[in-house]
């Protein structure tokens, strides 16, 4: 510890007593190995003028000349402060420096002349475009020269170079020299920075009265003091006492926060060091214990980088050894084997500063308040010694805000008594914006925990109400009907449909039309009776809107425009409303530019244009309208800027449809309007069979949908739509995997009476994934949407099947699909056992049956199966999706290994 500096700092903290003799950096040096991450330091070097060494502190591209005289406690020179980063390569340690003011690395680039000049901020952080790493080099017995780490270059060092009559930072290759135009440089040193000193007046102004102080990680039950205020020390600009006056003017019961003397047994402290613990004591107790009066005096310092954002180092002068109150001590937490001790010792620039938190108790994050659950509020306040609550509203002449003694006087049911809650200008505060006059704002309100729902402790100065104890923010109910924009939460599993009216294909005028997602890159369309499920992704930050608008109040249209027109019943458009922007997703597609389907979502607004209906509005903000959505030839387009021509949509909140539980098991599907059970015929078409057939119903793992979906398999094949079935066949034909004749045979019966069939296809699901393997290729996402079926319960307790927005129904025993919900077939679904159609398959055990060119695996649904020939070569490795899976195999003896079962041999014909 440098005694000169200790004495210096003690003197610096007393107003009017500053000795320039010690206003220097001596004693603040830090060993390179002791540099702490995220802590700032001065980076200092010297140059020789011919008669003396001049101490210079580095800044971006320049220096602080004669730093020992310029940098002082009351002038900390932020531009010369750097955080240090290190990296280790092999046994070598490298250093780089980032300026905390410019937020830029000290980095260099080689120019055309071959000199290394400072890199731009853009390139400085890029190791490939600039050089910013240095190693410590030994020159002339001094190991603290910073040598640039440059490939193939040995002698470039960080130094100061005379350019254009000023010393600038540079990488230089020479050492020493007497010419003034040459570089004279010496070792580079790290120095501890100064913290900003806070005057007693500033501290009291910042926190007022009745705040809390938290000393982290000190003794048990001694870390938080409540009801504290500042008591200034006479003739001491920086010193103050921390006192709890118990809310009375009687000073006899005042309690002071002090340091009480205790020996601290701790190996980290010097042998003769005195340790302290914070305590709260009365003046009499202080006198009785003969505690030095200086132990009650505090000083405050702050530095975001050095101590912590929003925290303070509380400093005290104490008597240490034979030094009579000459040393300044910082709160320092040191470890003991049994407890955390607070050591107050001689100033140590390398110690861990204790970041003391000052506030009103536990701070409440503004995000917990300024959210969708409490946006428009009434504001009431509890004032000391008053029975009634005060209420915040506008003055009668609307020229400003005021507190009313009665809630009724604030017109809580009118906009002038209602406030929009938003994030404050200062970090982690809120602001209250008046709904009637948005120009009247109560800003930067700090909230702390208090008892009572939506009730908070605040600083009186934040709201200008003397004696303020707490405020309560009570949500204004049903305000959404006044804001002219759609507003909803957007929770996972919450789905919506966009419904409008019109005429479509053979439908009568006025029929319901639903907005439906097209394929990627294609425009969204409208179809009857088959609405897509859309998830509205809401921007959680609401916008305040003051533009002209109309809204429907349930009986009539209300118009707000400009300054209003009382004779015409037009209200002034100065009422703050909230508008949320949205994006939409449907089966991995989003509503994109020009209302086409795209994977990159865009944001839009939903503006009320009729009773219960809304227009889709595209614009940068709720006030800046670019286009309105219009249905044109069954497609959604951004075709108009005329609000009256926009297509009205009803936004229907789709409750989670009663559905078959998400599970995987064998089930039978018996038709209620026809006769038979779902099964497959010889052409792989889904039909109704007379006997019950066990289908493997496998829950899809997709999250975020209100209604689960399922893969449905039978006899080793998976159910899908004929469109997907034909697409697979066409791909096989293109790849010469099947002949023309086979392709025609496969697709010949894809329709029945002009309607597409439901088919069964060879497809295996990868265990635990929403991925199918079809003809050796993996498919996922929208490529397998036609394989995913919804099984939703109807009002009779039966179930209806849907695939990719289409309903499954029955014609003459054939399963087909279409858009008409009224034609949908209802099924009774029952859980059944493992299929028993093959007499050689047991219900509760795995069986392997050899056939002609194949083996059948029974009772192994969801398990991995490996088929090998007699030589051990694997001919099949798959996860089967049904309990009656057929796997192709070569003639002869094969070995079949089923997951969890002993391998068996089978003879294939």
């Amino acid at each position: 510890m440098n005694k000169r500096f200790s004495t210096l700092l003690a003197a610096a903290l007393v107003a009017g007593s500053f000795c320039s003799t010690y206003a220097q950096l001596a004693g603040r040096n830090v060993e390179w190995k002791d540099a702490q991450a995220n802590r700032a330091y001065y980076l200092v070097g010297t140059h020789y003028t011919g008669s003396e060494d001049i101490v210079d502190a580095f800044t971006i591209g320049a220096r602080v000349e004669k730093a020992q005289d310029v940098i002082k406690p009351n002038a900390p020179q932020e531009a010369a402060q750097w955080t240090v980063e290190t990296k280790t390569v092999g046994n070598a340690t490298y250093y780089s420096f980032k300026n905390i003011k410019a937020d830029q690395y000290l980095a260099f680039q080689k120019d055309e002349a071959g000199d290394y000049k400072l890199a731009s901020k853009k390139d400085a952080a890029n190791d490939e475009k600039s050089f910013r790493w240095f190693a410590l080099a030994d020159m002339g017995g001094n190991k603290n020269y910073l040598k640039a780490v440059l490939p193939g270059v040995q002698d470039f060092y960080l130094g100061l170079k005379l350019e254009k009559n000023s010393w600038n930072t540079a990488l230089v290759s020479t050492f020493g020299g007497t010419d003034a135009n040459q570089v004279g440089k010496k070792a580079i040193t790290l120095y501890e920075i100064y913290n900003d000193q806070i005057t007693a007046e500033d501290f009291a102004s910042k926190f007022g009265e009745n705040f809390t102080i938290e000393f982290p990680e000190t003794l048990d039950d001694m870390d938080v003091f409540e009801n504290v205020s500042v008591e200034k020390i006479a003739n001491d600009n920086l010193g103050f006492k921390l006192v709890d006056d118990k809310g009375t003017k009687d000073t006899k019961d005042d309690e002071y926060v002090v340091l009480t003397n205790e020996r601290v047994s701790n190996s980290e402290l010097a042998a003769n060091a005195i340790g302290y613990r914070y305590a709260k004591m009365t003046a009499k107790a202080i006198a009785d214990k003969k505690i030095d009066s200086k132990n009650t005096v505090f000083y405050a310092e702050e530095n975001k980088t050095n101590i912590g954002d929003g925290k303070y180092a509380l400093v005290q002068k104490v008597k240490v050894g034979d030094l009579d109150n000459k040393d300044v001590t910082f709160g320092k937490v040191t470890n003991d084997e049994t407890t955390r001790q607070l050591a107050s010792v001689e100033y140590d620039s390398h110690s861990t500063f204790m970041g003391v938190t000052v506030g009103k108790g536990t701070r409440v994050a503004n995000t917990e308040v300024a959210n969708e659950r409490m946006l428009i509020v009434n504001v009431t306040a509890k004032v000391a010694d008053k029975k009634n609550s005060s209420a915040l509203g506008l003055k009668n002449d609307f020229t400003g805000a005021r507190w009313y003694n009665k809630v009724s006087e604030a017109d809580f049911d009118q906009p002038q008594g209602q406030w929009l809650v938003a994030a404050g200008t200062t970090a982690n505060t809120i602001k209250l914006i008046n709904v009637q006059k948005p120009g009247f704002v109560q800003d930067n309100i700090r909230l702390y925990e208090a008892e009572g729902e939506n009730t908070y402790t605040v600083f009186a100065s934040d709201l200008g109400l003397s004696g303020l104890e707490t405020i309560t923010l009570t949500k204004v109910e049903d305000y959404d009907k006044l804001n002219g924009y759609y507003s909803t939460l957007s929770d996972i599993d919450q789905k919506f449909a966009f419904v409008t009216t019109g005429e479509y294909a053979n439908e009568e005028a006025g029929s319901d039309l639903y907005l439906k997602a097209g394929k990627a890159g294609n425009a969204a369309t409208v179809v009857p009776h088959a609405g897509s499920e859309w998830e509205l992704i809401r921007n959680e930050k609401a916008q305040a809107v003051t533009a002209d608008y109309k809204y429907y109040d349930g009986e009539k249209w209300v118009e707000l425009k400009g300054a209003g027109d009382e004779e015409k019943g037009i209200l002034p458009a100065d009422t703050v409303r909230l508008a949320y922007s949205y994006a939409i997703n449907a089966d991995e597609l989003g509503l994109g530019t020009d209302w086409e389907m795209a994977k990159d979502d865009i944001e839009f607004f939903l503006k009320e244009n009729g009773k219960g209906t809304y227009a889709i509005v595209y614009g940068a903000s709720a006030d800046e309208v670019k286009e309105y959505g219009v249905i044109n030839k069954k497609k959604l387009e951004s075709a108009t800027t005329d609000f009256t021509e926009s297509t009205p949509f009803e936004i229907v909140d789709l409750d989670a449809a009663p559905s078959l539980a998400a599970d995987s098991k064998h089930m039978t599907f018996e038709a209620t309007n026809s006769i038979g059970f779902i099964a497959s015929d010889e052409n792989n078409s889904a039909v109704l069979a007379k006997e019950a057939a066990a289908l493997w119903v496998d829950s899809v793992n997709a999250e975020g949908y209100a209604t689960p979906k399922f893969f449905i398999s039978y006899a080793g094949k998976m159910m899908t739509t004929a469109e997907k079935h034909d697409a697979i066949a066409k791909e096989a034909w293109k790849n010469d995997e099947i002949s023309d004749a086979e392709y025609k045979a496969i697709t010949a019966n894809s329709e029945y009476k002009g309607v597409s069939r439901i088919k069964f296809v060879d497809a295996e699901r990868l265990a635990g994934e929403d991925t199918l393997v079809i003809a050796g290729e993996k498919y996922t996402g929208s490529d397998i949407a036609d394989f995913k079926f919804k099984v939703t319960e109807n009002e009779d307790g039966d179930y209806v099947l849907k695939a990719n927005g289409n309903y499954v129904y029955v014609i003459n025993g054939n399963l087909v699909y279409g858009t008409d919900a009224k034609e949908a077939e209802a099924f009774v679904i029952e859980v059944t056992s493992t299929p028993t159609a093959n007499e050689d398959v047991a219900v509760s055990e795995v069986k392997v049956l050899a056939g002609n060119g194949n083996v059948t695996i029974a009772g192994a649904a969801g398990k991995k199966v490996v088929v090998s020939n007699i030589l051990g070569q694997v001919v099949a490795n798959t996860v089967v999706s049904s309990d009656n899976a057929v796997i192709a195999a070569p003639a002869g003896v094969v070995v079949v290994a089923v997951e969890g079962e002993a391998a068996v041999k089978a003879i294939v014909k």
Side-chain angles (χ1 to χ4, degrees):
M1 173 64 199
N2 185 286
K3 301 297 182 182
R4 292 174 63 199
F5 179 68
S6 299
T7 307
L8 144 74
L9 194 55
L13 287 170
V14 180
S17 177
F18 187 86
C19 183
S20 60
T21 303
Y22 300 114
Q24 53 189 317
L25 294 171
R28 301 184 69 87
N29 58 294
V30 179
E31 295 293 333
W32 284 95
K33 63 181 179 60
D34 295 330
Q36 299 179 29
N38 301 320
R39 189 160 170 176
Y41 300 91
Y42 295 120
L43 186 62
V44 176
T46 61
H47 74 275
Y48 182 66
T49 65
S51 60
E52 63 175 334
D53 284 337
I54 300 298
V55 179
D56 299 289
F58 288 80
T59 66
I60 288 292
R63 62 173 178 152
V64 176
E65 188 178 6
K66 297 185 178 181
Q68 74 271 29
D69 296 328
V70 174
I71 298 177
K72 302 176 183 179
N74 60 351
Q77 297 291 330
E78 187 178 34
Q81 297 178 12
W82 304 81
T83 56
V84 182
E85 297 180 9
T86 62
K87 69 177 180 180
T88 302
V89 180
N91 294 324
T93 300
Y94 298 107
Y95 300 87
S96 70
F97 311 95
K98 193 171 187 180
N99 189 273
I100 67 171
K101 184 174 183 179
D103 192 31
Q104 179 177 347
Y105 285 100
L106 185 60
F108 299 86
Q109 290 176 318
K110 194 172 185 179
D111 64 12
E112 295 179 356
D115 295 329
Y116 286 93
K117 299 296 182 64
L118 279 168
S120 67
K121 184 175 182 178
K122 180 180 180 182
D123 295 334
N126 190 326
D127 288 344
E128 297 179 358
K129 293 185 177 181
S130 64
F131 304 105
R132 65 180 176 91
W133 292 100
F134 298 87
L136 291 177
D138 187 351
M139 294 185 65
N142 195 317
K143 298 181 179 180
N144 290 342
Y145 289 87
L146 285 177
K147 181 179 179 179
V149 182
L150 302 177
V153 179
Q154 301 297 323
D155 59 350
F156 276 87
Y157 298 86
L158 179 64
L160 299 167
K161 185 176 182 180
L162 187 61
E163 292 180 348
K164 296 181 180 179
N165 300 318
S166 67
W167 286 92
N168 291 319
T169 306
L171 288 186
V172 293
S173 58
T174 59
F175 175 68
T178 58
D179 189 339
N181 290 319
Q182 292 183 350
V183 175
K185 64 180 185 301
K186 292 193 175 182
I188 306 299
T189 307
L190 288 182
Y191 289 91
E192 194 73 29
I193 67 173
Y194 290 103
N195 299 317
D196 295 324
Q197 298 174 2
I198 307 300
T199 67
E201 289 86 350
D202 289 340
F203 199 86
S205 174
K206 185 183 292 284
F207 299 108
E209 298 179 354
N210 193 28
F211 52 81
T212 62
I213 294 181
E214 179 177 0
F215 298 92
E217 298 181 331
T218 58
L219 300 177
D220 293 341
D221 302 321
M222 294 295 294
D223 59 345
V224 177
F225 296 96
E226 299 177 342
N227 306 314
V228 178
S229 60
V230 168
E231 180 181 294
K232 186 180 176 183
I233 306 299
N235 300 318
D236 190 340
N237 183 47
L238 294 170
F240 54 83
K241 294 182 179 181
L242 299 174
V243 56
D244 179 4
D245 61 11
K246 303 290 186 181
T248 68
K249 295 181 179 180
D250 184 359
T251 59
K252 292 181 180 180
D253 61 354
D254 287 357
E255 292 184 335
Y256 295 86
V257 178
V258 300
L259 282 182
T260 63
N261 299 36
E262 288 184 2
R263 295 293 301 179
V264 177
S265 174
N266 191 301
S267 59
E268 292 189 14
L269 300 180
N272 64 343
I274 299 295
Y276 295 84
R277 61 184 294 172
Y278 283 104
K280 189 183 288 187
M281 306 179 72
T282 64
K284 185 176 186 302
I286 293 172
D288 290 344
K289 286 198 172 187
K290 296 182 172 58
I291 292 178
D292 193 295
S293 61
K294 296 296 184 182
N295 291 20
T296 65
V297 180
F298 287 84
Y299 303 90
E301 295 188 0
E302 65 177 342
N303 183 288
K304 179 178 180 180
T305 305
N306 215 29
I307 301 171
D309 190 14
K311 295 185 178 181
Y312 298 83
L314 288 185
V315 184
Q316 290 190 315
K317 294 189 302 178
V318 297
K319 185 175 182 179
V320 177
D322 295 331
L323 298 176
D324 187 15
N325 302 322
K326 296 297 186 181
D327 285 70
V328 173
T329 63
F330 279 72
K332 176 184 178 183
V333 179
T334 57
N335 286 313
D336 185 88
E337 293 181 357
T338 57
T339 186
R340 301 285 289 173
Q341 295 287 339
L342 177 70
S344 187
V345 296
E346 295 176 80
Y347 176 81
D348 177 3
S349 64
H350 319 312
S351 66
T352 301
F353 293 121
M354 185 171 62
V356 178
T357 303
V358 183
K360 296 291 285 189
T362 303
R363 191 72 171 268
V364 178
N366 60 12
T367 53
E368 296 180 25
V369 181
N371 60 25
E372 74 285 345
R373 293 172 182 81
M374 189 188 299
L375 281 168
I376 300 296
V377 298
N378 299 139
V379 181
T380 54
K382 183 69 177 68
V383 180
D385 302 326
K386 280 191 176 182
K387 294 182 179 180
N388 296 331
S389 294
S390 298
L392 186 63
L394 292 189
K395 296 179 180 178
N396 293 332
D397 59 1
F398 288 2
T399 58
R402 60 160 291 188
W403 286 96
Y404 289 88
N405 291 328
K406 293 183 179 180
V407 171
S408 59
E409 293 177 343
D411 290 331
F412 267 10
D413 58 343
Q414 300 296 325
Q416 57 263 34
Q418 299 170 348
W419 301 82
L420 166 68
V421 182
T425 303
T426 302
N428 206 25
T429 63
I430 68 165
K431 68 173 64 170
L432 298 172
I433 305 172
N434 189 263
V435 173
Q436 178 67 30
K437 292 287 185 180
F440 296 125
V441 178
Q442 299 281 351
D443 200 359
N444 299 326
I445 303 169
R446 294 160 284 183
L447 302 177
Y448 298 87
E449 287 184 356
E451 293 186 5
E453 185 176 3
N454 300 328
T455 298
Y456 308 92
T457 301
V458 298
F459 286 111
S461 58
D462 287 350
L463 286 171
L465 182 61
S466 178
L468 179 64
E469 293 183 345
T470 60
I471 65 168
T472 300
L473 308 177
T474 305
K475 181 180 178 181
V476 176
E477 298 297 332
D478 300 325
Y479 191 82
D480 283 346
K481 70 180 182 180
L482 295 178
N483 66 24
Y485 283 85
Y486 186 70
S487 179
T488 181
L489 298 179
S490 183
D491 297 327
I492 194 167
D493 291 345
Q494 189 174 12
K495 300 295 177 179
F496 304 86
F498 289 74
V499 186
T500 188
T501 56
E503 187 174 352
Y504 184 92
N506 299 314
E507 297 285 333
E508 69 279 5
S511 60
D512 288 342
L513 303 176
Y514 291 77
L515 187 64
K516 188 177 188 300
K519 295 181 180 179
N522 293 331
T525 60
V526 291
V527 296
H529 311 304
S532 292
E533 284 190 353
W534 300 84
E535 181 184 1
L536 283 177
I537 310 300
R538 190 178 84 174
N539 183 338
E540 289 304 306
K541 187 176 181 180
Q543 295 187 18
V545 183
T546 57
D548 300 347
Y549 78 109
K550 294 181 180 180
Y551 70 89
Y552 193 82
D553 67 2
E555 297 180 355
K556 63 182 183 303
W557 281 95
V558 179
E559 182 178 4
L560 292 95
K561 187 175 182 180
D565 189 328
E566 186 175 354
E567 292 184 359
K568 296 181 179 179
I570 299 175
L571 302 178
D574 57 3
T575 299
V576 172
R577 288 133 26 241
L578 302 179
Y580 287 97
S581 60
Y582 298 88
I584 59 177
N585 281 338
D587 293 335
E588 301 178 356
L589 298 177
L591 190 61
T593 306
D594 293 329
W595 310 119
E596 292 183 349
M597 307 313 301
K599 291 186 178 180
D600 293 329
D601 300 335
I602 63 166
E603 292 188 352
F604 59 94
F605 298 85
L606 296 171
K607 185 175 181 181
E608 188 171 11
N609 65 358
K611 184 178 182 181
T613 61
Y614 296 84
I616 297 177
V617 184
Y618 172 57
S621 68
D623 284 344
E624 182 186 351
V625 175
K626 293 184 178 179
E627 300 97 5
Y628 292 101
V630 175
I631 298 300
N632 185 15
K633 296 181 180 179
K634 310 180 187 69
K635 293 184 178 181
L636 179 65
E637 299 177 355
S638 53
T640 182
T641 56
D642 188 343
F643 178 67
T644 61
E645 295 180 358
S646 60
T647 297
F649 285 96
E650 181 182 358
I651 313 300
V652 180
D653 189 349
L654 299 176
D655 294 327
S659 169
L660 189 66
D663 202 350
S664 299
K665 57 185 64 175
H666 282 98
M667 300 178 181
T668 60
F669 288 69
E670 182 179 9
T672 60
N673 300 320
S674 304
I675 299 175
F677 299 82
I678 295 179
S680 175
D681 67 5
E682 65 277 7
N683 294 316
N684 295 321
S685 295
V687 296
L688 295 182
K690 292 182 179 180
E691 297 182 358
L695 276 63
W696 178 248
V697 181
D698 194 7
S699 175
V700 175
N701 291 335
E703 297 180 354
Y705 289 93
T707 306
K709 299 179 182 179
F710 302 87
F711 295 126
I712 301 176
S713 303
Y714 175 71
K717 298 180 185 294
M718 192 173 291
M719 197 162 77
T720 186
T721 64
E723 289 179 357
K724 180 56 69 176
H725 177 270
D726 290 356
I728 294 170
K730 187 174 183 179
E731 191 68 22
W733 173 73
K734 285 182 178 180
N735 296 332
D736 292 328
E737 296 172 1
I738 59 176
S739 65
D740 291 353
E742 289 174 317
Y743 173 61
K744 291 179 181 178
I746 291 172
T747 58
N749 63 341
S750 292
E751 289 191 357
Y752 185 81
K753 295 186 179 298
V755 185
S756 294
R757 288 182 180 273
I758 298 294
K759 304 284 286 187
F760 283 92
V761 176
D762 282 317
E764 292 285 343
R765 179 185 182 181
L766 292 184
E769 298 183 22
D770 289 336
T771 301
L772 299 182
V773 178
I774 305 170
E777 298 291 333
K778 293 182 180 180
Y779 295 90
T780 189
S782 58
D783 289 335
I784 58 173
D786 287 337
F787 286 87
K788 298 178 181 181
F789 285 82
K790 288 184 179 180
V791 186
T792 54
E793 188 176 352
N794 64 17
E795 58 187 13
D796 296 324
D798 304 323
Y799 291 89
V800 173
L801 276 63
K802 290 179 66 177
N804 207 10
N806 294 293
Y807 293 89
V808 175
Y809 53 99
V810 176
I811 299 178
N812 295 337
N814 296 276
L815 267 65
V816 297
Y817 68 100
T819 60
D820 195 344
K822 293 178 288 187
E823 297 292 333
E825 179 70 35
F827 294 91
V828 175
I829 299 178
E830 294 184 355
V831 178
T832 186
S833 60
T834 304
T836 57
N838 188 324
E839 61 183 6
D840 290 327
V841 178
V843 172
S844 59
E845 59 183 287
V846 175
K847 289 291 186 180
V848 178
L849 305 177
N852 293 321
N854 60 53
V855 290
T856 299
I857 314 297
K863 294 185 177 182
K864 181 180 180 180
V865 176
V866 179
V867 180
S868 308
N869 62 21
I870 196 64
L871 299 176
Q873 296 171 312
V874 176
V875 296
N877 185 342
T878 185
V879 176
V880 297
S881 62
S882 76
D883 273 348
N884 199 19
V886 179
I887 300 176
V893 178
V894 296
V895 179
V896 182
V898 179
E899 181 183 350
E901 305 287 340
V904 298
K905 293 181 180 179
I907 300 175
V908 179
K909 296 179 181 179

